[in-house]
Amino acid sequence: MIPKSDLNDNDLLRSMLAGDEEALALLYRRRQAGVYRFALQMSGSKTIAEDVTQEVFLFLMRDGHVFDPARGSVSAFLLGVARNLVLRRLRVEQLLAPLGDDGDEEVSTLQATTDVCPLEDLTRAEMIESVRKAVLSLPPKYREVVVLCELQEVSYVETAEILGCAIGTVRSRLHRARALLLGKLRPAAEAEETGAATVRCFA
């Protein structure tokens, strides 16, 4: 008999829908982090990300039977549900959540290095924060393709499935999103270069 941990997502979902709580726990552990990261990167809010992640798996328990393996993977299905929930929350609250401390975990992970001086570390952290703010400032239809394709590394095919659009639409939105990000980040990059020159002066 195959251990449950070796089952694919589709088999785990089938077992879960048949009442297997262990299958649900395994599927949650396997896919929760990806759903949370997507919701956080889309909303900029830990609170929204946590709520959405919980709602996604409640939806899966309640309506998981609507999943069609012929249309895509369980992972894509979960991200599609998360996307709808995040967009609904942002519409209801009519805001992009405050940036505040909500990305601190990711920032600290990205900037964790050893042999750097405090000024370089500060400049790097500021650049990462600029990228976060730039992504969050994009209109939702551009933000979601950046989050999926660039940050989550989801394929164009699965991104198209999650968004319910053609692959060509994903490509064109991503191209436009990159151009918008470049325009937003160019001033930050120039500031970083100035900061790096300052660091060298103190070296």
Side-chain angles (χ1 to χ4, degrees):
M1 184 176 176
I2 301 174
K4 280 196 176 71
S5 58
D6 291 343
L7 294 176
N8 64 35
D9 289 354
N10 290 7
D11 292 336
L12 285 176
L13 180 56
R14 273 195 296 272
S15 296
M16 185 206 82
L17 293 173
D20 187 338
E21 292 184 6
E22 185 186 354
L24 169 61
L26 283 168
L27 195 54
Y28 179 84
R29 284 200 296 270
R30 190 180 288 178
R31 297 298 170 195
Q32 174 267 342
V35 171
Y36 176 83
R37 273 196 312 274
F38 170 79
L40 179 62
Q41 290 162 341
M42 277 294 292
S43 68
S45 166
K46 286 181 183 176
T47 301
I48 291 178
E50 288 165 359
D51 290 349
V52 164
T53 302
Q54 183 178 9
E55 288 176 46
V56 164
F57 285 92
L58 287 173
F59 176 88
L60 191 67
M61 287 187 284
R62 188 179 63 246
D63 297 305
H65 59 276
V66 303
F67 168 70
D68 180 2
R71 295 186 58 195
S73 67
V74 171
S75 176
F77 175 73
L78 294 175
L79 290 176
V81 175
R83 171 195 180 238
N84 292 336
L85 291 170
V86 168
L87 293 178
R88 187 180 308 153
R89 280 290 293 270
L90 293 179
R91 275 196 299 270
V92 167
E93 298 181 20
Q94 295 183 333
L95 54 80
L96 288 175
L99 295 173
D101 301 337
D102 286 352
D104 285 352
E105 298 160 282
E106 292 174 324
V107 169
S108 58
T109 301
L110 286 168
Q111 72 187 41
T113 54
T114 50
D115 301 321
V116 291
C117 77
L119 273 173
E120 288 176 328
D121 205 32
L122 179 62
T123 302
R124 186 175 295 105
E126 288 172 349
M127 189 60 192
I128 291 167
E129 182 65 10
S130 295
V131 172
R132 286 185 60 250
K133 287 181 178 179
V135 171
L136 286 168
S137 71
L138 292 173
K141 71 177 183 178
Y142 297 125
R143 190 186 332 149
E144 61 196 10
V145 292
V146 170
V147 170
L148 289 168
C149 296
E150 302 286 6
L151 304 181
Q152 299 275 55
E153 297 182 346
V154 176
S155 70
Y156 288 170
V157 172
E158 284 206 317
T159 297
E161 169 60 29
I162 292 165
L163 303 183
C165 65
I167 293 177
T169 303
V170 171
R171 291 179 187 276
S172 64
R173 285 183 186 174
L174 189 57
H175 179 75
R176 176 64 179 147
R178 285 170 177 160
L180 289 170
L181 280 175
L182 187 61
K184 292 172 184 293
L185 291 172
R186 187 172 287 121
E190 289 167 357
E192 185 186 22
E193 286 175 12
T194 303
T198 305
V199 168
R200 283 193 293 274
C201 288
F202 285 104

